[in-house]
Amino acid sequence: MKRTDFYFDLPPELIAQYPSERRGNDRLMVLGRKSGEVFHRAMIDLPNLIESGTLMVFNNSRVRKARVFGTKESTGREVEFIFLNKVDDESCVWNTLVKGAKKQKPGMRYEFPDSSIGTILENPQNEGTEFRTVKFDFSLTENWFEKNGHIPLPPYIRRADDEADGERYQNVFADNVGSAACPTAGLHFTNEMLETLERKKIERAFVTLHVGLGTFLPVREENIEDHKMHEEIFTVESDAARKINLAKKEGRPILAVGTTSVRTLESACVADGGAWRVREGTFATSIFMYPGYKFKIVDQMFTNFHTPESTLIMLVSAFSSRENILNAYEEAVREKYRFFSYGDAMLIK
């Protein structure tokens, strides 16, 4: 399939630059997974749209202040780094995404706001990419990021982060710090909504996938099959695996909240006597889902509206169909839905 098969026209004014005034006060499009039928609802309607006994699976990864500016020693110019993950648990070396990466070469040194120094290391895997490996003389802690970093708003939000983003670009159930971008489907959920879902006997489980910006990098290859996903780490705890496998065994729907939850569940699945189950533990995934992929665990999906030609619109197209998704997106444009991270939501069932 071609990258351009997933293009759609989006007026820039529909790209949400700020969250809704009140968390959860968003519009909700309901899309028939097979039929392609579209219904217009609001987030407040969600509990009445989900069958009792459904298991909802959320990604509880918490966003770190991963966007940090360093000053290049050789020029005095400011350079933006997005810190993705440590090379290993004991390391002082980080994988980063760097703005203007072509000019940031091995051996170059950068001074960060607290006067700490990072040096770019030689890494053949980074050649020709936006990624750079950076070494410090000490291990960076979450306190370091809190002191030096900014909320890593995506580039289509064309403003600096502000104090409100510290709360609104974070899910109310976020627990495990490690993401360089928010699993934004969860931003629509309030504590009150979670309580309402629980009263309606809608079960929930939490998994953790730490979002690296590789998920959001553009697909540059003309043939999407040639695209390689950036690796991300996920964890399925024993309690979550038990709930998921029991729901699967009993034939109850599994509703994944967000594409990161989808990727976690589908990456964790293993064959078990002619059926599918998820395994517990911590693993790496570079799974790339596009039309033709057969879903094994996920039955329903709650998600945001995604960018043209992205791996995410390819994933939701795999879950429904390319035609259904593009038709729904055209209607969303006509109806002036708000798009992307701080925008409105879609339920596919």
Side-chain angles (χ1 to χ4, degrees):
M1 300 187 79
K2 304 296 185 183
R3 181 186 70 245
T4 51
D5 290 338
F6 299 89
Y7 178 80
F8 64 94
D9 286 317
L10 180 66
E13 63 269 19
L14 296 184
I15 301 173
Q17 298 298 304
Y18 290 89
S20 56
E21 187 173 338
R22 181 179 178 186
R23 187 189 290 266
N25 189 24
D26 304 300
R27 299 170 72 185
L28 175 66
M29 176 181 283
V30 183
L31 173 67
R33 180 181 179 185
K34 300 300 183 185
S35 69
E37 286 187 278
V38 168
F39 303 91
H40 303 290
R41 298 289 187 266
M43 269 302 295
I44 195 171
D45 301 321
L46 183 65
N48 295 323
L49 298 169
I50 301 175
E51 177 185 343
S52 179
T54 297
L55 174 63
M56 298 183 73
V57 181
F58 297 82
N59 181 4
N60 66 2
S61 181
R62 188 171 181 83
V63 183
R64 67 163 48 97
K65 289 187 175 180
R67 185 175 181 229
V68 191
F69 294 89
T71 301
K72 187 189 292 190
E73 283 191 343
S74 60
T75 65
R77 291 190 175 181
E78 190 174 70
V79 177
E80 176 187 309
F81 292 81
I82 303 289
F83 285 74
L84 300 174
N85 60 280
K86 283 196 289 187
V87 170
D88 59 63
D89 288 340
E90 305 300 323
S91 180
C92 302
V93 180
W94 281 74
N95 294 316
T96 70
L97 186 75
V98 186
K99 196 167 185 177
K102 288 183 179 179
K103 297 181 180 179
Q104 320 311 325
K105 301 182 184 299
M108 290 183 173
R109 289 161 46 94
Y110 302 80
E111 182 177 349
F112 290 90
D114 66 344
S115 299
S116 56
I117 301 295
T119 304
I120 293 182
L121 299 182
E122 185 81 43
N123 186 342
Q125 293 182 344
N126 291 337
E127 290 181 10
T129 75
E130 296 92 338
F131 299 105
R132 293 293 181 269
T133 305
V134 181
K135 183 181 187 303
F136 290 79
D137 291 331
F138 60 96
S139 182
L140 304 186
T141 65
E142 292 307 325
N143 286 336
W144 188 89
F145 288 104
E146 284 295 319
K147 180 179 178 181
N148 295 284
H150 296 263
I151 295 293
L153 295 178
Y156 48 73
I157 295 180
R158 299 187 180 282
R159 61 177 178 83
D161 62 307
D162 59 28
E163 186 175 347
D165 292 310
E167 186 257 332
R168 291 303 300 273
Y169 195 67
Q170 204 75 265
N171 291 315
V172 296
F173 48 80
D175 186 28
N176 298 314
V177 178
S179 278
C182 183
T184 53
L187 293 177
H188 302 280
F189 291 83
T190 63
N191 288 318
E192 292 76 16
M193 171 64 77
L194 295 175
E195 291 168 5
T196 300
L197 292 166
E198 189 170 352
R199 287 195 299 271
K200 291 185 68 70
K201 309 300 182 185
I202 297 164
E203 194 179 13
R204 65 177 176 264
F206 295 98
V207 295
T208 305
L209 182 143
H210 292 313
V211 186
L213 291 189
T215 298
F216 302 101
L217 286 178
V219 177
R220 295 191 174 91
E221 291 79 6
E222 181 180 359
N223 297 312
I224 67 172
E225 295 86 351
D226 296 330
H227 177 71
K228 302 299 182 186
M229 291 287 287
H230 186 64
E231 193 173 80
E232 293 165 313
I233 304 299
F234 71 88
T235 299
V236 180
E237 300 286 359
S238 58
D239 183 60
R242 178 187 61 78
K243 289 181 178 180
I244 294 160
N245 292 331
L246 181 60
K248 205 70 185 168
K249 182 179 179 181
E250 295 177 346
R252 292 185 283 118
I254 295 177
L255 195 170
V257 177
T259 56
T260 58
S261 295
V262 174
R263 296 182 74 238
T264 297
L265 293 173
E266 295 296 314
S267 297
C269 74
V270 292
D272 185 9
W276 297 100
R277 64 175 178 85
V278 299
R279 54 181 176 165
E280 63 182 82
T282 297
F283 308 96
T285 181
S286 55
I287 192 171
F288 178 25
M289 287 173 272
Y290 51 85
Y293 178 84
K294 304 299 182 184
F295 288 81
K296 306 169 186 68
I297 302 295
V298 178
D299 303 301
Q300 301 175 10
M301 188 188 308
F302 179 95
T303 187
N304 283 7
F305 291 90
H306 303 295
T307 54
E309 300 184 355
S310 65
T311 61
L312 303 181
I313 195 171
M314 293 170 191
L315 186 155
V316 295
S317 295
F319 190 69
S320 178
S321 73
R322 187 182 72 89
E323 294 75 15
N324 286 349
I325 292 297
L326 291 180
N327 288 339
Y329 275 43
E330 285 180 11
E331 183 154 351
V333 170
R334 285 195 299 270
E335 295 293 326
K336 299 190 184 306
Y337 276 70
R338 302 169 75 240
F339 277 68
F340 308 160
S341 294
Y342 274 153
D344 294 313
M346 173 185 280
L347 174 65
I348 310 174
K349 57 177 292 193

